[in-house]
Amino acid sequence: MKIVKKGSSNFNQPVGNFQSFNQVANHFIIEAENANIQIIPYSDSIFRIRIALKGQSFTGFSYAIAEEPMQVEVSVTETTDSITFQTKGAQLLVSKNPFRISFFNAQGTLLSEDDQAFGTSWLGNEVTTYKKLQEGERFIGLGEKTGDLDRRGQSYVNWNTDYFAYPVDADPIYLSTPFYIGLHNETQYGVFFDNTHKTTFSFGCSNNRFSYFQAEDGEMNYYLFAGNNVKSIIESFTWLTGRMSMPPLWSLGFQQCRYSYYPTFEVINAAKMFRDKDIPCDVLYLDIHYMDAYKVFTWHPERFPDPKKMMADLKEDGFNMVVILDPGIKKEVGYHAYDDGKAKDLFVSYPDGEEYNGQVWPGWSAFPDFTHEEVRKWWGDHMKAVTDVGVEGFWIDMNEPAAWGQHLPDLIEFAYEGEGGTHKKSRNVYGYQMARSTFEGGKKLLKGKRPFVLTRAGYCGVQRYAAVWTGDNISADDHMLAGVRLVNSMGLTGISNAGYDVGGFAGEATPDLFARWISIGAFSPFFRSHSMVNSRDSEPWSFGEEVEDISRNYIKLRYRLMPYLYSAFYESAKNGMPVARSLAIDYTHDAKIYHGDYQNQYLFGPSILVCPVESYKPFAKVYFPKGKWFNFFTDQLNEGESEHIIEVNKEVLPLYVKAGSVLFCQSAVNSLQKETPKPTLEVHYYAGGDFSFEYYEDDGQTYEYENQKFFKRIITSNQNNEIDFGKVSGDFTSKFNKIRFYLHTNEKISNVKLKQDEFSKDLTLNHENYRWINPVSDFDPYHKPPAKPIELNNLPYVEFDHSTFAFSVIVS
Ligand code: GLC
């Protein structure tokens, strides 16, 4: 059947054929029948592509981008049919008639190509780029999106949304990061569609022809990334959009939240319980009830009459406090934040100039326009109300922005750094700019100390300012696993410091669920337990003694692993490698890892394989990717590329360590900010392959590391069990003066040598009946766990000084 097309604007409008081509500085400008195109080689492996309909101008500004284009060597070849742009790391081919784009890697292998018929085209203002589906193509990324690791066959919308108790397949939720990685034929490439309007991504959803990315308005502005592996693509993407700075060490500890702890004695009591029960914890939270009538930058006079004293008492006990800050400012004449913001005209308004008001916790509220520098500074200055009291952590919530009804009028206006934008263009960056304002304000007020900011909403680049949590999840097994995938997926899109509400926010966790969730949470970059108002108590001791013991074991284990975790955070800050690593990063083209049974598995840092399991399952399926894997608790070695059914119980989370890797541990402490661990650094060496990992330390609280005040060295090893500790760089003195070097191997060891420059000496080999954690079975005679006791028997170790020189340990 032929359709008669009357009035072309109702139908697909293409870019059309090529007309002209020229170069202005490092931009290549192409004119086509209906559109103007800019091609910008951004780095050796990144091309930026901008396409605007004729008559539309290119807008200049992006919140996401942290770097200007590099000076790139490009060779350009034009023929009658095409133009080729070749850089060291990629090739972009423009076909002229019609205008289409194909993208190749350095080896000339096709990575991605426009759908031949549609390429980039418009339906009214809506702009879409259609990419042909490649054979066997998979898609990963897009950040905080529910669903499977492999997103093929699905579609997603980016529109920051406050979604209480969202189902595990809900979309959209709170945060938008329009960046994905395509995988096929042993190759990989990245696409970042930098358009802040509501965007839709389809990965072959309801069709078998193309994937596409689409924005309801604005420019077609996207970046293509080539790279030899997923890791290098993440590195390029985080170079472009920025990386986190080192978070304060205390924020890597266990964090206990509650909606809400009040009055003061409840907070102090919670702190006391942690210490009495010998459960490590570094942070307590104040949710909305600490404020007077939910007015941000106030303290409730009866509930918290002396917050300064409370803070001082908490700090004395090794706790920091994180307080919630919501963007909605109560519309109340006489309330200082409202009066001041109103007088200075800092709130979001309607086109007729009237202030926009929506309802949130305090009732009718005005919303600071965080897309304006003056407003960001103003907000930052008002944070004095909490920093003066001693607060160093800021939890920013409801910043999608949320207002009851969840449908802000699209015509309201934002400054958008002077460019101007309606709600349609500005919504997705609102939370991100609030995070920026809060981080910058905190940094200024804390005078050299690192602030900690936790946000719910965001856009690409938010990792520079804040950690992210996955909002109002539900106390259920499928949510626990969905949270793991959300965090791993955010890691693929630059957000390394992320976590979920352990135990579930809405609903009530069973003891078994809480036990499982807290053990998995101990292996999440951001580790916080939180629960809804009026729900049952959800602190680690609220589910009975057994769960209390399990919680203590896993929280302590995380604290023991802190030197390793801190080094993993450093790696993230340095090159964007996430702390929780989807197996799609290291084992990209192994089809098994995408299987429903295994897609929740991930690496925590470079060495630990975590296999999350539902709390009710007596058995679990695990998959070992390439290599060999030590059981964390028994040191039993498993061959890679094999599937196993294992018995599980609530005390033992299936954890494995890669053969050919290293872990750094310290003695257990209950507070990272108050207690100093014993001066011996444990280095656990897992024999069996090559690795290279950078050990990193600094003071954990200031930015002095920017002035060389760090202690770092690269540690490498090879198949012959020679472990090289590189020379230390930096001016920081390590907390540790000794290394205790544990050997995890199933081979017989007869000799361990320490070699430094010209000298070499044999080390005394000790054995220790060494335990990771204390299984419940140790002290409960009635409890008979199906698993073996959790211990490492007769683990050999050697000890030597933590010298700053280069040296090697040679095991034979
Ligand atoms: C939102 C947050 C939740 C918080 C609550 C009250 O629902 O997501 O974490 O406890 O608001 O502030």
Side-chain angles (χ1 to χ4, degrees):
M1 187 185 70
K2 264 261 166 274
I3 296 170
V4 184
K5 298 186 179 180
K6 284 191 193 145
S8 65
S9 65
N10 293 333
F11 291 95
N12 195 53
Q13 194 184 2
V15 170
N17 285 345
F18 171 90
Q19 287 180 327
S20 69
F21 165 58
N22 60 70
Q23 179 173 3
V24 178
N26 59 352
H27 290 37
F28 297 94
I29 298 182
I30 295 174
E31 203 176 325
E33 269 167 277
N34 304 318
N36 293 317
I37 298 121
Q38 289 185 3
I39 293 184
I40 305 158
Y42 217 88
S43 78
D44 281 345
S45 55
I46 308 174
F47 278 95
R48 178 181 182 193
I49 293 141
R50 309 180 72 182
I51 309 178
L53 270 180
K54 282 195 172 157
Q56 281 180 354
S57 56
F58 289 110
T59 55
F61 174 73
S62 162
Y63 280 111
I65 303 301
E67 294 288 342
E68 294 289 318
M70 284 182 178
Q71 277 302 330
V72 183
E73 260 178 57
V74 201
S75 66
V76 184
T77 317
E78 186 172 3
T79 69
T80 41
D81 301 329
S82 67
I83 312 168
T84 311
F85 303 88
Q86 177 80 53
T87 65
K88 259 193 238 129
Q91 189 196 95
L92 193 86
L93 179 116
V94 170
S95 311
K96 288 183 172 173
N97 298 313
F99 172 89
R100 295 286 176 262
I101 280 174
S102 306
F103 186 52
F104 302 84
N105 65 14
Q107 294 74 37
T109 310
L110 178 71
L111 300 175
S112 156
E113 62 191 313
D114 282 355
D115 176 275
Q116 192 42 38
F118 308 128
T120 295
S121 45
W122 289 260
L123 289 168
N125 281 344
E126 184 179 270
V127 61
T128 309
T129 292
Y130 298 88
K131 298 285 181 193
K132 184 180 167 191
L133 281 174
Q134 302 296 318
E135 204 195 322
E137 192 163 20
R138 298 179 192 279
F139 300 89
I140 57 172
L142 271 198
E144 194 192 55
K145 290 289 171 200
T146 57
D148 292 329
L149 169 60
D150 178 3
R151 306 201 176 280
R152 174 78 182 252
Q154 300 299 315
S155 70
Y156 302 89
V157 171
N158 290 307
W159 186 245
N160 293 356
T161 300
D162 168 24
Y163 200 152
F164 171 74
Y166 55 96
V168 287
D169 57 357
D171 184 70
I173 53 173
Y174 310 93
L175 180 132
S176 301
T177 46
F179 168 72
Y180 71 87
I181 299 173
L183 314 166
H184 61 89
N185 299 304
E186 302 283 312
T187 62
Q188 50 282 315
Y189 65 93
V191 174
F192 170 37
F193 181 24
D194 188 12
N195 180 317
T196 61
H197 289 84
K198 185 184 279 179
T199 53
T200 302
F201 283 69
S202 162
F203 299 111
C205 180
S206 312
N207 87 83
N208 59 2
R209 175 174 175 171
F210 44 65
S211 61
Y212 66 76
F213 40 95
Q214 172 178 85
E216 66 174 24
D217 208 340
E219 190 184 302
M220 178 46 65
N221 170 31
Y222 69 102
Y223 297 76
L224 288 168
F225 300 74
N228 291 335
N229 45 46
V230 169
K231 184 177 174 202
S232 65
I233 292 171
I234 295 175
E235 196 166 344
S236 297
F237 176 66
T238 54
W239 167 78
L240 186 69
T241 58
R243 299 176 181 130
M244 67 173 171
S245 48
M246 284 308 287
L249 179 64
W250 58 263
S251 71
L252 305 194
F254 179 60
Q255 313 201 9
Q256 178 67 53
C257 190
R258 171 83 210 175
Y259 175 12
S260 307
Y261 288 123
Y262 71 87
T264 306
F265 80 80
E266 269 217 28
V267 181
I268 297 293
N269 201 33
K272 199 168 158 338
M273 287 290 270
F274 275 102
R275 296 296 175 249
D276 286 355
K277 290 187 168 290
D278 183 31
I279 298 176
C281 182
D282 267 86
V283 191
L284 292 172
Y285 276 67
L286 292 183
D287 204 327
I288 49 176
H289 290 98
Y290 82 91
M291 294 177 272
D292 181 14
Y294 308 127
K295 287 185 283 192
V296 69
F297 308 128
T298 66
W299 290 87
H300 194 287
E302 281 100 49
R303 292 174 186 159
F304 295 98
D306 192 353
K308 219 175 193 158
K309 161 126 191 4
M310 175 183 75
M311 275 304 308
D313 290 349
L314 287 173
K315 286 207 170 168
E316 176 64 34
D317 226 1
F319 285 92
N320 235 311
M321 182 112 247
V322 174
V323 300
I324 200 164
L325 301 174
D326 286 339
I329 305 235
K330 188 175 175 63
K331 185 182 171 73
E332 181 184 279
V333 177
Y335 159 41
H336 68 286
Y338 180 74
D339 288 349
D340 194 33
K342 173 112 190 138
K344 294 181 174 141
D345 192 18
L346 304 178
F347 300 136
V348 170
S349 58
Y350 287 103
D352 63 358
E354 189 181 307
E355 177 183 296
Y356 163 69
N357 294 140
Q359 277 187 301
V360 215
W361 305 122
W364 290 106
S365 303
F367 295 82
D369 182 357
F370 290 103
T371 68
H372 194 300
E373 200 187 340
E374 194 188 331
V375 180
R376 288 195 295 271
K377 273 189 77 243
W378 170 83
W379 174 268
D381 291 344
H382 274 271
M383 285 167 60
K384 232 172 145 313
V386 289
T387 55
D388 270 356
V389 162
V391 169
E392 295 173 31
F394 316 96
W395 172 23
I396 55 174
D397 186 27
M398 312 298 276
N399 53 354
E400 292 69 32
W404 306 155
Q406 309 299 355
H407 243 90
L408 274 66
D410 275 338
L411 82 178
I412 58 175
E413 293 177 349
F414 296 72
Y416 215 95
E417 306 314 308
E419 196 174 281
T422 63
H423 177 242
K424 285 176 121 183
K425 176 169 150 187
S426 314
R427 180 178 183 84
N428 283 339
V429 294
Y430 187 83
Y432 171 25
Q433 291 311 297
M434 183 185 182
R436 174 180 175 188
S437 160
T438 310
F439 178 80
E440 285 169 351
K443 204 169 165 183
K444 198 164 128 202
L445 290 165
L446 296 181
K447 300 194 177 76
K449 272 190 164 177
R450 303 175 200 170
F452 172 72
V453 181
L454 177 67
T455 185
R456 196 168 71 173
Y459 184 73
C460 294
V462 70
Q463 65 273 8
R464 289 182 240 161
Y465 308 112
V468 173
W469 100 106
T470 63
D472 299 344
N473 62 359
I474 299 175
S475 302
D477 280 277
D478 56 349
H479 258 272
M480 176 174 70
L481 300 186
V484 166
R485 289 197 301 283
L486 289 174
V487 166
N488 295 349
S489 179
M490 281 196 258
L492 294 168
T493 54
I495 301 169
S496 293
N497 197 359
Y500 31 74
D501 287 347
V502 165
F505 178 70
E508 305 201 334
T510 61
D512 283 5
L513 177 62
F514 190 85
R516 178 54 86 213
W517 211 326
I518 200 150
S519 54
I520 298 173
F523 295 89
S524 158
F526 167 66
F527 183 24
R528 182 184 80 157
S529 163
H530 182 35
S531 56
M532 170 77 176
V533 70
N534 296 331
S535 60
R536 63 166 289 172
D537 287 354
S538 306
E539 291 77 16
W541 52 82
S542 317
F543 298 88
E545 270 179 39
E546 193 184 27
V547 176
E548 184 182 319
D549 292 334
I550 293 170
S551 304
R552 178 185 302 104
N553 284 343
Y554 281 91
I555 299 175
K556 276 201 193 277
L557 182 54
R558 179 180 174 102
Y559 276 62
R560 295 267 282 107
L561 285 163
M562 205 45 73
Y564 167 77
L565 182 56
Y566 201 62
S567 298
F569 267 84
Y570 169 69
E571 195 180 353
S572 254
K574 186 174 154 185
N575 64 21
M577 266 304 271
V579 174
R581 301 176 188 182
S582 158
L583 296 186
I585 297 178
D586 285 334
Y587 309 96
T588 312
H589 300 291
D590 179 347
K592 272 274 153 40
I593 65 147
Y594 302 96
H595 191 281
D597 288 337
Y598 309 123
Q599 62 169 344
N600 303 311
Q601 293 183 198
Y602 62 98
L603 288 177
F604 186 62
S607 319
I608 302 177
L609 176 67
V610 184
C611 305
V613 184
E614 291 91 338
S615 63
Y616 55 83
K617 285 198 175 158
F619 296 97
K621 282 179 84 175
V622 298
Y623 175 66
F624 298 113
K626 203 167 184 240
K628 289 187 179 176
W629 300 88
F630 285 91
N631 181 309
F632 186 85
F633 301 112
T634 64
D635 263 11
Q636 194 196 342
L637 204 53
N638 297 282
E639 289 295 324
E641 295 175 287
S642 64
E643 296 167 83
H644 295 256
I645 293 178
I646 56 161
E647 258 187 86
V648 284
N649 64 64
K650 53 178 165 294
E651 292 101 58
V652 185
L653 174 70
L655 295 173
Y656 302 88
V657 186
K658 200 199 281 178
S661 74
V662 74
L663 298 179
F664 311 113
C665 297
Q666 64 181 28
S667 59
V669 291
N670 280 337
S671 162
L672 296 167
Q673 52 205 297
K674 193 180 171 201
E675 291 173 44
T676 314
K678 293 193 184 122
T680 300
L681 175 70
E682 293 173 16
V683 178
H684 286 264
Y685 167 64
Y686 289 83
D690 301 332
F691 70 81
S692 170
F693 187 29
E694 195 159 12
Y695 175 81
Y696 179 86
E697 254 186 85
D698 61 23
D699 67 17
Q701 43 175 332
T702 72
Y703 290 93
E704 277 299 297
Y705 66 84
E706 289 168 358
N707 306 321
Q708 296 293 309
K709 286 263 183 281
F710 51 73
F711 176 103
K712 66 178 183 184
R713 70 174 359 139
I714 294 175
I715 302 173
T716 53
S717 129
N718 60 26
Q719 307 276 353
N720 302 331
N721 286 330
E722 285 173 15
I723 307 101
D724 295 327
F725 289 69
K727 188 174 170 333
V728 166
S729 61
D731 301 333
F732 183 74
T733 310
S734 169
K735 297 196 266 286
F736 307 104
N737 57 25
K738 277 226 155 350
I739 288 182
R740 184 177 275 203
F741 187 89
Y742 286 98
L743 285 135
H744 298 255
T745 171
N746 59 357
E747 282 164 26
K748 203 169 154 21
I749 305 158
S750 41
N751 184 266
V752 184
K753 268 195 176 41
L754 185 70
K755 198 164 169 281
Q756 197 170 310
D757 285 340
E758 293 311 300
F759 94 92
S760 155
K761 71 167 183 190
D762 289 343
L763 293 171
T764 321
L765 200 58
N766 301 288
H767 280 76
E768 189 186 37
N769 199 0
Y770 175 80
R771 286 168 184 280
W772 278 111
I773 55 177
N774 232 340
V776 173
S777 55
D778 270 6
F779 45 89
D780 180 356
Y782 300 105
H783 183 88
K784 291 195 180 59
K788 285 189 206 154
I790 303 160
E791 61 183 36
L792 297 167
N793 282 313
N794 276 333
L795 194 65
Y797 72 88
V798 290
E799 244 179 28
F800 46 85
D801 287 344
H802 193 204
S803 116
T804 57
F805 299 112
F807 62 88
S808 307
V809 179
I810 300 159
V811 182
S812 54

